[in-house]
Amino acid sequence: MSLEDSVKALIVSEYPLDSVIASSSQSKDARKGIVEYVKSEKPDILFVDGLVSRIRYPEAYIDGVIESHPLKKFMDVPFKLASEFLKELKDANPSTEVYMAFSDADEDNIRRLTKYTALKILAANDAEVKKCNGEIKNIKDSAKKVNAHIASERKAKAKGWEKSVEAKRKESAMLGKKLGGYQTKLKRMKEEFLLKMPNAESVEWREIKKITSNEYLNKLKEMNPGINIQMGNISTDAKGYTFEYAHSFYTPDDSPLKKRTNKLIGYVDKLHMGRVPLPHFMIESGHHGETVVHPYKHGEKDVYSLICTGMVMEDQKVVNDILKGKFKPEIFQGKVNKLEACKRQSKKIPAPGVSIVGRNKDGYFTNLYSMDHLAKVGRSEVKLKDMDYEKINVLSDIHVGKGKVDYDRLESAIEKMVGEIRDRKKAGLSAPMLFMLNESLQGFNYKTLPVEIARKIPADYKKELEEIVNGYATKAVAGKEYVDAEVVKKLIKAAIHELERVNEPSIGNQTKWFHELTKKLIPLTLLYCNYQVAVLFAEGTHIKHTVGEFGIKEVDLQSIVYDGLDMIVPALIEAGELKDDTKLKGIKEKIKKGSYLKFDMKIGDVDYKLSAVHKPGSASPSSNIPAQHVERVITMSDDADMFFSAHLHTPYFFAIGKMESNDISAFYKGATFNAYDDYGKEGGWSPAVIGYEQALVPKNKNGKGAYKVQFVLSDVL
């Protein structure tokens, strides 16, 4: 498998096409939008589930479904509606492998159909028993008449009575034989036939359920040729990448916000600890109402899997109206809290829409498309060819001053960003924005859980340098000796790394080294980014704990160089060394800094609300980090479209819905460049994820509602 290969999978989850929750005009438009994305994106794999409702809640059926008798006719109409959609998806791009997984609704329907089948069997068997009892009664009645006739003949002793009695005796014997046959049949039926509803744990129930399940599955397969339909988890691959998909990997608890994400990551942890090979993509449906994407690191190796949970295609406006009693209250009365969609919205803020996950030469990526956005595409208010995205580079937790900073990959990441700025400048495009969510500087070590700054003793350092030199022989050219250039490079690199370990704990040196590292990235971003905010600095906690009492802030240490332009540039112009300040004017105003940053910004033709903070709340290794952030956002009544945060050295990309609409808000949580160290180990944290994120958002008119992320991590840097 080459990293140049690109693979992608589209996920459509919880889209009950036979339900009022998925039949609004916006939902129908969004359906067209999904088909347009399949045509445009041409995903290698398409996972679908939740296309039918539960039979036991007929209140949610659209007109015509309940009248079609889903139980009697074995889901004819619901299956037909699902099949029409599956055909649309397959026809949109025939090369896409479409997989349909069974949902909770499918499993519940199988239970209902099993019970209905059992009742039908009971009714048929009861009819047979009644028929047999009727025959026995008729035979007994006939035998009584024959025996009465024999007794009458004997008593009258009329002429020829002996022959008549003999004939009736034969008839009586035949009736007796016939009666015995029916009595034996009745006994056998009572022994072998199902004559009462079987217990769900009984063999009889299991046999009926097995037959019903196979009939359910086979009927779907017959109606959907070319679609891969199966019960349970789906394991497949495309272009050498492996995928594991499940409607739900296991049952969560019932606590508020369910903490699903943390449970799923815990499950993956157990698989990894058991040395179970992890797939490249581990995908769960939107069933639990938490749309989260997380690159999972395989121990301390630079290898990752993408753990994803999907969105829901349920119209959240309709769901909200049902909860408030505005939508057909006469029908839904008493059923509101039983519908899955209502349960989800009453505990969480589900994100309505579909998602794409994949991998390209830059690593794993994810695209989220809200139902609002899909509907615009479906109504042709926005053409996919016109979708244009702007990029925000999200850099966090560099920790200059810490002993385990991966400077090689940091410099690789910075060079990659600088290269893109130059390429964009040549193309006449704006440079990407740069959000530094800090802690870029380590500050001094905490008094508790100190960070170990690894330093070599002189003898070990001397030995290391000698080994480098001894590894290369000197060469003679024209009678002169010289040292191989590679030897010099290695010696310099080893010496510099040792200086980093010794000097960086000084805040002054940390600041100088930070500016040395970013001397191209930040100035070029400020010069060539055309947006109101080009560079953002969010205040971290390390400098605050170190020298915060003296009023020193990390964001000031980072921006002080650019604040000085106000003094330097006018002086240079006056001295005639600089013609004017045209190019530099307004640079300082493009910097936004603070502890909790909330601002409005126009990106292209789209107005966005943004929010950025370094630390979205305290957490422990067992915390559900996305859920914690959502709880904090709700507490602060933050109505941003995009949220940016960092601090915990593990990146997440997740989304929530917006109440009473089908729009979404996206959360970008940054990674780090500080490798797994004693600080993390002692605190119980999982291995740090090295790298950065690229947030991509639409800038074209009517494009709002789609959010993307590219994880650029240590497996590609």
Side-chain angles (χ1 to χ4, degrees), residues 542-589:
H542 280 238
I543 295 298
K544 178 182 177 182
H545 288 307
T546 302
V547 289
E549 61 187 296
F550 303 113
I552 298 175
K553 296 180 179 179
E554 181 175 17
V555 294
D556 292 336
L557 293 173
Q558 290 174 305
S559 64
I560 194 168
V561 172
Y562 310 101
D563 292 338
L565 290 172
D566 286 347
M567 295 178 286
I568 297 170
V569 172
L572 290 173
I573 293 173
E574 186 177 336
E577 298 296 328
L578 193 65
K579 185 178 179 182
D580 56 48
D581 64 351
T582 304
K583 289 187 177 180
L584 299 176
K585 196 171 184 178
I587 275 187
K588 193 177 79 169
E589 284 69 31

Side-chain angles (χ1 to χ4, degrees), residues 91-210:
D91 289 348
N93 186 45
S95 64
T96 296
E97 285 294 322
V98 181
Y99 291 86
M100 178 181 165
F102 273 27
S103 67
D104 290 35
D106 290 301
E107 293 171 4
D108 190 61
N109 288 342
I110 288 171
R111 285 193 291 272
R112 292 278 153 179
L113 288 163
T114 299
K115 184 176 180 179
Y116 180 74
T117 303
L119 288 171
K120 282 204 302 183
I121 292 171
L122 286 176
N125 288 347
D126 185 58
E128 283 295 312
V129 169
K130 284 180 178 177
K131 183 179 177 182
C132 190
N133 279 325
E135 291 293 334
I136 289 171
K137 184 178 181 302
N138 291 339
I139 292 169
K140 285 182 176 179
D141 289 344
S142 297
K144 281 182 182 179
K145 288 179 182 179
V146 170
N147 291 334
H149 183 80
I150 291 172
S152 175
E153 289 286 325
R154 278 179 175 171
K155 188 175 181 180
K157 292 187 179 180
K159 186 178 179 182
W161 68 274
E162 292 92 344
K163 287 184 179 181
S164 177
V165 167
E166 184 63 26
K168 290 297 181 183
R169 279 178 178 168
K170 288 180 180 180
E171 185 180 349
S172 178
M174 286 177 63
L175 287 170
K177 190 175 181 181
K178 192 175 181 181
L179 177 64
Y182 274 103
Q183 286 175 331
T184 301
K185 182 180 179 181
L186 180 63
K187 183 180 179 183
R188 191 181 72 251
M189 282 195 293
K190 287 181 176 180
E191 289 174 351
E192 297 177 5
F193 274 28
L194 189 67
L195 299 174
K196 64 178 182 178
M197 181 59 72
N199 186 285
E201 297 175 359
S202 66
V203 173
E204 292 83 2
W205 176 269
R206 287 173 60 189
E207 286 299 316
I208 297 170
K209 188 176 181 182
K210 184 178 178 181

Side-chain angles (χ1 to χ4, degrees), residues 293-341:
V293 181
H294 169 61
Y296 180 88
K297 193 172 186 182
H298 295 201
E300 295 185 55
K301 299 176 182 177
D302 292 311
V303 178
Y304 298 89
S305 292
L306 197 67
I307 313 301
C308 327
T309 53
M311 305 173 80
V312 297
M313 268 301 292
E314 298 161 333
D315 189 322
Q316 296 302 302
K317 289 191 288 188
V318 174
V319 175
N320 192 261
D321 285 346
I322 291 173
L323 284 167
K324 289 184 173 181
K326 293 181 180 179
F327 186 89
K328 298 184 178 180
E330 71 283 359
I331 293 177
F332 285 99
Q333 187 178 14
K335 294 288 185 178
V336 170
N337 293 323
K338 296 184 183 297
L339 298 175
E340 267 191 341

Side-chain angles (χ1 to χ4, degrees), residues 653-664:
F653 176 49
F654 54 104
I656 58 172
K658 292 189 175 182
M659 291 295 287
E660 301 191 18
S661 82
N662 284 308
D663 196 6
I664 62 173

